[in-house]
Amino acid sequence: MNHTNLWADHFSTAAIAAIADQETYLAGRADLDERGIERFLISPGRISGLVTARNTGAELHVAITLPVLTSDQAASLRTATPQCVHHEAGDDALPECLAEPAHTGGVNVLPDPAQLSFVCTCPATSPCRHTAALAHALIDRLRTHAGDLAVLRGLRQPSHPAQDIPAADTSADTRTKTRLSAHHAWAWYRESPDLPPIPNYSPSLSNEPLSPPDWSSPPPPAPTSEHLHALVNDAATHATDFLRSGTPLECAWDADAVRLASRIPHIRISDVADRLGLDIAELRDRITAARTSASAEP
Protein backbone atom coordinates (compact mmCIF):
# COMPACT_ATOMS: atom_id res chain seq x y z
CA MET A 1 0.00 0.00 0.00
CA ASN A 2 2.03 2.90 -1.28
CA HIS A 3 -0.63 5.57 -1.84
CA THR A 4 0.20 8.94 -0.42
CA ASN A 5 -0.93 9.84 3.07
CA LEU A 6 -0.38 13.11 4.89
CA TRP A 7 0.42 11.55 8.25
CA ALA A 8 2.83 8.98 6.82
CA ASP A 9 4.56 11.61 4.70
CA HIS A 10 4.91 14.03 7.60
CA PHE A 11 6.28 11.35 9.93
CA SER A 12 8.70 10.29 7.19
CA THR A 13 9.94 13.88 6.96
CA ALA A 14 10.37 14.02 10.74
CA ALA A 15 12.21 10.67 10.80
CA ILE A 16 14.60 11.73 8.03
CA ALA A 17 15.43 14.93 9.92
CA ALA A 18 15.90 13.07 13.22
CA ILE A 19 18.06 10.30 11.74
CA ALA A 20 20.06 12.96 9.85
CA ASP A 21 21.82 10.43 7.61
CA GLN A 22 20.29 9.49 4.28
CA GLU A 23 22.18 6.23 3.92
CA THR A 24 21.16 5.04 7.40
CA TYR A 25 17.57 5.88 6.56
CA LEU A 26 17.73 3.97 3.24
CA ALA A 27 19.53 1.05 4.90
CA GLY A 28 16.60 0.78 7.31
CA ARG A 29 14.23 0.47 4.34
CA ALA A 30 16.37 -2.31 2.88
CA ASP A 31 16.53 -4.18 6.22
CA LEU A 32 12.76 -3.97 6.68
CA ASP A 33 12.13 -5.26 3.17
CA GLU A 34 14.70 -8.04 3.53
CA ARG A 35 14.01 -9.29 7.06
CA GLY A 36 10.84 -7.70 8.37
CA ILE A 37 10.21 -6.91 12.05
CA GLU A 38 8.83 -9.13 14.81
CA ARG A 39 6.50 -8.05 17.62
CA PHE A 40 5.90 -4.63 16.11
CA LEU A 41 3.85 -2.65 18.62
CA ILE A 42 2.51 0.90 18.76
CA SER A 43 1.67 2.22 22.22
CA PRO A 44 1.32 5.71 23.73
CA GLY A 45 4.71 7.41 23.37
CA ARG A 46 6.51 4.32 22.08
CA ILE A 47 7.04 2.15 18.98
CA SER A 48 8.92 -1.10 19.55
CA GLY A 49 9.87 -4.32 17.82
CA LEU A 50 12.48 -7.01 17.30
CA VAL A 51 14.93 -6.75 14.40
CA THR A 52 17.33 -9.46 13.23
CA ALA A 53 20.88 -8.20 12.66
CA ARG A 54 21.88 -8.60 9.05
CA ASN A 55 25.35 -10.13 9.59
CA THR A 56 25.25 -11.84 12.99
CA GLY A 57 21.59 -12.88 13.09
CA ALA A 58 21.30 -11.49 16.63
CA GLU A 59 17.88 -10.46 17.92
CA LEU A 60 17.87 -6.72 18.55
CA HIS A 61 15.34 -4.80 20.59
CA VAL A 62 14.51 -1.48 18.94
CA ALA A 63 12.29 1.38 20.01
CA ILE A 64 11.39 4.92 19.06
CA THR A 65 9.96 7.11 21.80
CA LEU A 66 8.36 10.54 21.82
CA PRO A 67 6.33 12.46 24.41
CA VAL A 68 2.58 11.99 24.48
CA LEU A 69 0.35 15.06 24.45
CA THR A 70 -0.32 16.48 27.90
CA SER A 71 -3.80 16.46 29.43
CA ASP A 72 -4.11 20.19 28.73
CA GLN A 73 -3.16 19.67 25.09
CA ALA A 74 -5.64 16.81 24.78
CA ALA A 75 -8.37 18.99 26.30
CA SER A 76 -7.60 21.82 23.89
CA LEU A 77 -7.76 19.37 21.02
CA ARG A 78 -11.15 18.10 22.12
CA THR A 79 -12.69 21.55 22.57
CA ALA A 80 -11.30 23.16 19.40
CA THR A 81 -13.71 23.32 16.44
CA PRO A 82 -16.38 21.24 18.21
CA GLN A 83 -18.55 21.04 15.07
CA CYS A 84 -15.84 19.36 12.95
CA VAL A 85 -16.45 15.82 11.79
CA HIS A 86 -13.01 14.73 13.02
CA HIS A 87 -14.58 14.16 16.45
CA GLU A 88 -16.54 11.27 14.92
CA ALA A 89 -13.59 9.60 13.18
CA GLY A 90 -13.08 5.89 13.73
CA ASP A 91 -10.06 4.28 15.39
CA ASP A 92 -8.20 3.68 12.11
CA ALA A 93 -8.85 7.18 10.77
CA LEU A 94 -7.18 10.48 11.54
CA PRO A 95 -8.66 13.37 9.52
CA GLU A 96 -6.09 15.57 7.84
CA CYS A 97 -7.67 18.71 9.30
CA LEU A 98 -5.92 17.80 12.57
CA ALA A 99 -2.60 18.64 10.93
CA GLU A 100 -3.50 22.35 11.08
CA PRO A 101 -2.64 23.91 14.49
CA ALA A 102 -5.25 26.62 13.83
CA HIS A 103 -7.85 23.84 13.72
CA THR A 104 -6.61 22.13 16.89
CA GLY A 105 -6.26 25.04 19.27
CA GLY A 106 -2.51 25.37 18.61
CA VAL A 107 -1.78 21.70 19.43
CA ASN A 108 0.66 19.97 17.07
CA VAL A 109 -0.46 16.39 16.54
CA LEU A 110 2.56 15.76 14.34
CA PRO A 111 5.78 15.16 16.32
CA ASP A 112 8.76 17.46 16.03
CA PRO A 113 11.98 15.72 14.85
CA ALA A 114 13.74 16.83 18.05
CA GLN A 115 11.16 14.87 20.07
CA LEU A 116 12.08 11.50 18.52
CA SER A 117 14.48 9.30 20.50
CA PHE A 118 15.96 6.08 19.10
CA VAL A 119 17.00 3.03 21.15
CA CYS A 120 18.64 -0.17 19.89
CA THR A 121 20.57 -2.97 21.60
CA CYS A 122 23.12 -3.14 18.78
CA PRO A 123 26.62 -1.71 19.45
CA ALA A 124 26.21 1.04 16.84
CA THR A 125 25.33 4.60 17.71
CA SER A 126 21.62 5.38 17.55
CA PRO A 127 19.85 6.25 15.39
CA CYS A 128 21.07 3.17 13.51
CA ARG A 129 19.78 1.22 10.55
CA HIS A 130 17.70 -0.99 12.84
CA THR A 131 15.77 1.91 14.36
CA ALA A 132 15.45 3.33 10.85
CA ALA A 133 13.77 0.05 9.85
CA LEU A 134 11.34 0.54 12.73
CA ALA A 135 10.59 4.07 11.52
CA HIS A 136 9.84 2.72 8.02
CA ALA A 137 7.51 0.12 9.56
CA LEU A 138 5.53 2.87 11.27
CA ILE A 139 5.43 4.95 8.08
CA ASP A 140 4.03 1.96 6.17
CA ARG A 141 1.50 1.39 8.96
CA LEU A 142 0.29 4.99 8.91
CA ARG A 143 -0.50 4.71 5.20
CA THR A 144 -3.29 2.26 6.01
CA HIS A 145 -4.00 2.97 9.70
CA ALA A 146 -3.49 6.70 10.21
CA GLY A 147 -5.28 6.50 13.55
CA ASP A 148 -2.26 4.75 15.06
CA LEU A 149 -0.58 8.16 15.21
CA ALA A 150 -3.30 9.20 17.69
CA VAL A 151 -2.37 6.11 19.75
CA LEU A 152 1.29 7.09 19.60
CA ARG A 153 0.46 10.61 20.80
CA GLY A 154 -1.62 9.28 23.71
CA LEU A 155 -5.00 10.38 22.33
CA ARG A 156 -6.35 6.83 21.92
CA GLN A 157 -5.75 3.44 23.48
CA PRO A 158 -3.99 0.74 21.45
CA SER A 159 -6.39 -1.33 19.40
CA HIS A 160 -3.89 -3.73 17.82
CA PRO A 161 -1.68 -6.28 19.60
CA ALA A 162 1.98 -6.80 18.75
CA GLN A 163 2.34 -8.31 15.31
CA ASP A 164 5.04 -9.59 13.01
CA ILE A 165 5.80 -7.68 9.82
CA PRO A 166 7.07 -10.14 7.21
CA ALA A 167 9.81 -9.40 4.73
CA ALA A 168 8.67 -7.85 1.48
CA ASP A 169 7.72 -10.13 -1.38
CA THR A 170 10.70 -9.84 -3.72
CA SER A 171 9.00 -11.89 -6.44
CA ALA A 172 6.88 -8.87 -7.37
CA ASP A 173 8.22 -5.39 -7.89
CA THR A 174 6.18 -3.86 -5.04
CA ARG A 175 8.90 -2.49 -2.78
CA THR A 176 9.73 1.16 -2.38
CA LYS A 177 12.55 2.11 -4.73
CA THR A 178 15.66 3.20 -2.84
CA ARG A 179 19.01 4.48 -4.02
CA LEU A 180 22.29 3.61 -2.32
CA SER A 181 25.68 5.08 -3.00
CA ALA A 182 28.29 2.82 -4.57
CA HIS A 183 30.57 2.77 -1.51
CA HIS A 184 27.62 1.89 0.75
CA ALA A 185 26.61 -1.00 -1.50
CA TRP A 186 30.23 -2.19 -1.56
CA ALA A 187 30.35 -2.11 2.27
CA TRP A 188 27.29 -4.35 2.37
CA TYR A 189 28.84 -6.78 -0.08
CA ARG A 190 32.16 -6.85 1.80
CA GLU A 191 30.47 -7.51 5.16
CA SER A 192 28.24 -10.27 3.83
CA PRO A 193 28.70 -13.57 5.71
CA ASP A 194 28.34 -15.52 2.44
CA LEU A 195 31.34 -16.07 0.23
CA PRO A 196 31.35 -14.01 -2.95
CA PRO A 197 30.53 -15.94 -6.13
CA ILE A 198 33.50 -17.38 -7.96
CA PRO A 199 33.61 -16.38 -11.64
CA ASN A 200 33.51 -19.24 -14.12
CA TYR A 201 35.69 -17.42 -16.60
CA SER A 202 39.38 -16.71 -16.13
CA PRO A 203 41.03 -14.69 -18.87
CA SER A 204 44.42 -15.89 -20.09
CA LEU A 205 47.21 -13.48 -19.16
CA SER A 206 50.59 -13.33 -20.83
CA ASN A 207 53.77 -13.75 -18.78
CA GLU A 208 55.48 -11.11 -20.91
CA PRO A 209 55.77 -7.63 -19.33
CA LEU A 210 53.46 -5.04 -20.76
CA SER A 211 55.05 -2.61 -23.16
CA PRO A 212 54.40 1.11 -22.64
CA PRO A 213 51.87 2.61 -25.02
CA ASP A 214 53.13 4.51 -28.02
CA TRP A 215 53.39 8.27 -27.55
CA SER A 216 50.87 10.18 -29.54
CA SER A 217 50.52 13.91 -29.78
CA PRO A 218 47.54 15.32 -27.89
CA PRO A 219 44.66 16.64 -30.01
CA PRO A 220 44.26 20.38 -30.52
CA PRO A 221 43.96 22.75 -28.73
CA ALA A 222 46.17 20.85 -26.28
CA PRO A 223 49.88 21.75 -26.06
CA THR A 224 52.21 20.45 -28.73
CA SER A 225 54.95 17.96 -27.93
CA GLU A 226 57.46 20.82 -27.79
CA HIS A 227 55.29 22.68 -25.31
CA LEU A 228 54.82 19.56 -23.17
CA HIS A 229 58.57 19.01 -22.92
CA ALA A 230 59.03 22.63 -21.89
CA LEU A 231 56.33 22.27 -19.22
CA VAL A 232 57.93 19.08 -17.88
CA ASN A 233 61.36 20.75 -17.71
CA ASP A 234 59.87 23.76 -15.94
CA ALA A 235 58.12 21.53 -13.38
CA ALA A 236 61.33 19.57 -12.80
CA THR A 237 63.29 22.78 -12.25
CA HIS A 238 60.77 24.03 -9.69
CA ALA A 239 60.72 20.67 -7.92
CA THR A 240 64.53 20.59 -7.76
CA ASP A 241 64.67 24.13 -6.35
CA PHE A 242 62.06 23.26 -3.76
CA LEU A 243 63.86 20.10 -2.63
CA ARG A 244 67.24 21.83 -2.46
CA SER A 245 66.35 25.12 -0.82
CA GLY A 246 62.66 24.98 0.11
CA THR A 247 61.83 27.68 -2.43
CA PRO A 248 58.02 27.99 -2.40
CA LEU A 249 56.19 27.35 -5.64
CA GLU A 250 54.38 30.18 -7.42
CA CYS A 251 50.62 30.01 -6.87
CA ALA A 252 49.34 33.15 -8.61
CA TRP A 253 47.63 31.89 -11.74
CA ASP A 254 48.20 34.91 -13.99
CA ALA A 255 51.79 35.45 -12.85
CA ASP A 256 52.64 31.80 -13.42
CA ALA A 257 51.01 31.89 -16.86
CA VAL A 258 53.13 34.92 -17.82
CA ARG A 259 56.26 33.19 -16.52
CA LEU A 260 55.53 30.07 -18.59
CA ALA A 261 54.75 32.18 -21.64
CA SER A 262 58.17 33.78 -21.30
CA ARG A 263 59.89 30.38 -21.27
CA ILE A 264 57.90 28.17 -23.65
CA PRO A 265 58.73 28.70 -27.33
CA HIS A 266 56.24 29.40 -30.11
CA ILE A 267 53.24 30.19 -27.93
CA ARG A 268 50.15 31.92 -29.28
CA ILE A 269 50.27 35.32 -27.59
CA SER A 270 46.69 36.11 -28.61
CA ASP A 271 45.28 32.95 -26.95
CA VAL A 272 47.17 33.58 -23.70
CA ALA A 273 46.02 37.20 -23.64
CA ASP A 274 42.39 36.16 -24.12
CA ARG A 275 42.54 33.61 -21.28
CA LEU A 276 44.19 36.10 -18.92
CA GLY A 277 41.93 38.97 -19.94
CA LEU A 278 44.90 41.13 -20.90
CA ASP A 279 45.67 43.37 -23.82
CA ILE A 280 48.24 41.82 -26.16
CA ALA A 281 50.59 44.78 -25.73
CA GLU A 282 50.35 44.50 -21.94
CA LEU A 283 51.02 40.76 -22.10
CA ARG A 284 54.12 41.36 -24.29
CA ASP A 285 55.42 43.88 -21.75
CA ARG A 286 54.93 41.43 -18.89
CA ILE A 287 56.63 38.62 -20.83
CA THR A 288 59.60 40.89 -21.58
CA ALA A 289 59.83 41.85 -17.89
CA ALA A 290 59.70 38.17 -16.88
CA ARG A 291 62.51 37.27 -19.30
CA THR A 292 64.62 40.19 -18.07
CA SER A 293 64.08 39.11 -14.47
CA ALA A 294 64.98 35.48 -15.28
CA SER A 295 68.19 36.48 -17.08
CA ALA A 296 69.25 38.64 -14.12
CA GLU A 297 68.96 35.71 -11.68
CA PRO A 298 72.28 34.02 -10.80
Side-chain angles (χ1 to χ4, degrees), residues 215-273:
W215 171 264
S216 59
S217 299
T224 64
S225 299
E226 184 180 23
H227 292 164
L228 286 176
H229 285 295
L231 288 170
V232 170
N233 290 333
D234 181 77
T237 301
H238 272 69
T240 302
D241 293 341
F242 178 76
L243 293 174
R244 287 178 175 176
S245 60
T247 303
L249 303 179
E250 295 289 342
C251 296
W253 178 69
D254 57 342
D256 198 52
V258 171
R259 181 186 60 79
L260 290 173
S262 68
R263 298 187 178 185
I264 297 177
H266 310 302
I267 63 168
R268 294 176 61 88
I269 297 292
S270 58
D271 290 346
V272 178

Side-chain angles (χ1 to χ4, degrees), residues 2 33 167-177:
N2 290 323
D33 289 344
D169 181 10
T170 58
S171 61
D173 191 18
T174 59
R175 292 187 295 172
T176 301
K177 297 296 185 295

Side-chain angles (χ1 to χ4, degrees), residues 30-255:
D31 282 1
L32 176 63
D33 289 344
E34 181 180 350
R35 298 181 177 273
I37 291 181
E38 297 180 2
R39 298 193 58 79
F40 175 72
L41 180 64
I42 302 173
S43 56
R46 182 181 178 88
I47 319 151
S48 60
L50 298 178
V51 175
T52 302
R54 183 171 51 89
N55 290 327
T56 64
E59 188 178 78
L60 304 173
H61 294 258
V62 292
I64 300 175
T65 62
L66 69 160
V68 298
L69 298 179
T70 65
S71 57
D72 291 340
Q73 289 175 320
S76 297
L77 193 61
R78 286 192 297 269
T79 57
T81 56
Q83 304 302 320
C84 184
V85 296
H86 75 253
H87 293 285
E88 303 174 3
D91 289 343
D92 285 341
L94 193 64
E96 295 184 355
C97 61
L98 294 177
E100 297 293 335
H103 191 79
T104 60
V107 177
N108 287 319
V109 177
L110 290 164
D112 186 90
Q115 294 178 311
L116 300 180
S117 297
F118 301 84
V119 181
C120 181
T121 55
C122 78
T125 302
S126 290
C128 60
R129 62 189 301 152
H130 312 114
T131 52
L134 184 64
H136 279 287
L138 176 64
I139 294 167
D140 291 349
R141 177 73 179 179
L142 292 179
R143 296 197 186 281
T144 55
H145 299 77
D148 283 347
L149 182 61
V151 174
L152 186 60
R153 298 296 272 162
L155 297 174
R156 299 175 188 170
Q157 291 302 312
S159 57
H160 303 284
Q163 55 188 277
D164 295 343
I165 300 178
D169 181 10
T170 58
S171 61
D173 191 18
T174 59
R175 292 187 295 172
T176 301
K177 297 296 185 295
T178 58
R179 292 176 292 176
L180 300 178
S181 64
H183 79 270
H184 197 258
W186 168 246
W188 281 13
Y189 181 81
R190 185 178 54 192
E191 296 171 4
S192 174
D194 301 326
L195 292 176
I198 299 176
N200 55 11
Y201 169 73
S202 298
S204 57
L205 300 177
S206 173
N207 293 327
E208 298 295 327
L210 296 176
S211 57
D214 296 332
W215 171 264
S216 59
S217 299
T224 64
S225 299
E226 184 180 23
H227 292 164
L228 286 176
H229 285 295
L231 288 170
V232 170
N233 290 333
D234 181 77
T237 301
H238 272 69
T240 302
D241 293 341
F242 178 76
L243 293 174
R244 287 178 175 176
S245 60
T247 303
L249 303 179
E250 295 289 342
C251 296
W253 178 69
D254 57 342

